[in-house]
Amino acid sequence: KNQVEQSPQSLIILEGKNCTLQCNYTVSPFSNLRWYKQDTGRGPVSLTIMTFSENTKSNGRYTATLDADTKQSSLHITASQLSDSASYICVVSAKQAGTALIFGKGTTLSVSS
Amino acid sequence: ETGVTQTPRHLVMGMTNKKSLKCEQHLGHNAMYWYKQSAKKPLELMFVYNFKEQTENNSVPSRFSPECPNSSHLFLHLHTLQPEDSALYLCASRQETGDSYNEQFFGPGTRLTVL
């Protein structure tokens, strides 16, 4: 069964600190993996996308990694800011007909001053 | 904003009411989607429209009725809902080219509460 598991479920960190969010998936055949950021009361916004051949992708202070062999991805946030407080959702796309997006439940990050 | 708008942003309705959610995309995309987002659950895909034709219906109860009059507008008609239907309803659009690389752009969502 295609599944995406994220950990931790929630995380609280101090402003300026770094953190890493995890995503494990059992999606086959794999097409790509995307990380979304969802602010409270808003829709998700894409941060990065990685295909099978890409190991890392950066977007400002956000760096995503992908290990296609172990089917794991991480999202590293550097020098966190209060505006990073949001839910981060890992979405894996399968190569199949139709819309084959498998969503994780998300990690809720709270950055405090 | 992402180019996808949704109205209303908040809706409270009784179980016997009939209401509609509206979504409009200004991105020139050819596919539109309805999702349900409940607390502590992954996003659930409800309906997909491609070139105004419904291509997916993920076993959604008939009390949810979608309508796509053109490639820019998408509606979700609601009637005789249940309290467990309370959730955030997200609309998204995408340029469907046969692969999954193209990003889905989401609207801000409608927060629905069923009393």
Side-chain angles (χ1 to χ4, degrees):
Chain A
K1 181 183 177 183
N2 287 334
Q3 281 189 315
V4 174
E5 300 287 341
Q6 291 188 242
S7 62
Q9 182 177 330
S10 61
L11 182 62
I12 302 174
I13 62 172
L14 289 175
E15 186 179 14
K17 297 296 186 182
N18 304 337
C19 67
T20 300
L21 313 181
Q22 300 291 342
C23 173
N24 296 340
Y25 61 92
T26 56
V27 176
S28 182
F30 175 85
S31 176
N32 58 70
L33 184 147
R34 195 184 292 272
W35 282 93
Y36 279 93
K37 178 187 179 189
Q38 184 176 17
D39 293 314
T40 302
R42 307 290 292 272
V45 175
S46 179
L47 292 174
T48 64
I49 180 172
M50 289 178 291
T51 59
F52 185 88
S53 59
E54 295 173 295
N55 301 116
T56 186
K57 185 74 70 79
S58 290
N59 178 357
R61 294 179 297 101
Y62 301 101
T63 300
T65 64
L66 174 65
D67 186 333
D69 292 330
T70 60
K71 298 187 178 181
Q72 295 180 325
S73 175
S74 65
L75 180 69
H76 186 75
I77 304 175
T78 304
S80 60
Q81 301 177 358
L82 297 178
S83 58
D84 293 330
S85 295
S87 178
Y88 292 85
I89 303 172
C90 176
V91 184
V92 181
S93 181
K95 284 183 184 175
Q96 64 183 61
T99 306
L101 295 182
I102 298 91
F103 288 80
K105 294 181 182 180
T107 292
T108 301
L109 174 66
S110 298
V111 180
S112 60
S113 57
Chain B
E1 282 295 353
T2 60
V4 179
T5 58
Q6 291 186 242
T7 55
R9 294 294 308 275
H10 300 273
L11 178 62
V12 179
M13 59 187 288
M15 289 191 285
T16 58
N17 291 158
K18 286 185 179 182
K19 297 286 184 183
S20 295
L21 309 185
K22 179 183 176 183
C23 175
E24 184 174 359
Q25 60 102 354
H26 312 274
L27 301 169
H29 291 160
N30 58 13
M32 296 187 76
Y33 310 78
W34 277 119
Y35 287 90
K36 176 183 179 183
Q37 188 176 32
S38 305
K40 301 191 185 335
K41 287 187 177 181
L43 266 73
E44 301 170 54
L45 179 64
M46 300 175 72
F47 301 105
V48 181
Y49 276 82
N50 204 322
F51 290 105
K52 303 185 301 176
E53 299 296 323
Q54 187 180 124
T55 56
E56 285 188 50
N57 174 342
N58 282 358
S59 304
V60 180
S62 59
R63 56 186 184 269
F64 294 92
S65 174
E67 178 190 359
C68 188
N70 55 61
S71 57
S72 298
H73 294 84
L74 186 64
F75 295 89
L76 188 62
H77 304 298
L78 317 171
H79 63 98
T80 59
L81 294 191
Q82 305 298 310
E84 60 264 29
D85 296 322
S86 299
L88 181 68
Y89 288 84
L90 291 164
C91 173
S93 74
R94 177 170 170 257
Q95 187 60 26
E96 178 60 61
T97 56
D99 69 61
S100 57
Y101 194 86
N102 291 346
E103 179 183 349
Q104 283 193 15
F105 289 84
F106 288 85
T110 294
R111 173 65 63 185
L112 174 67
T113 303
V114 181
L115 302 176

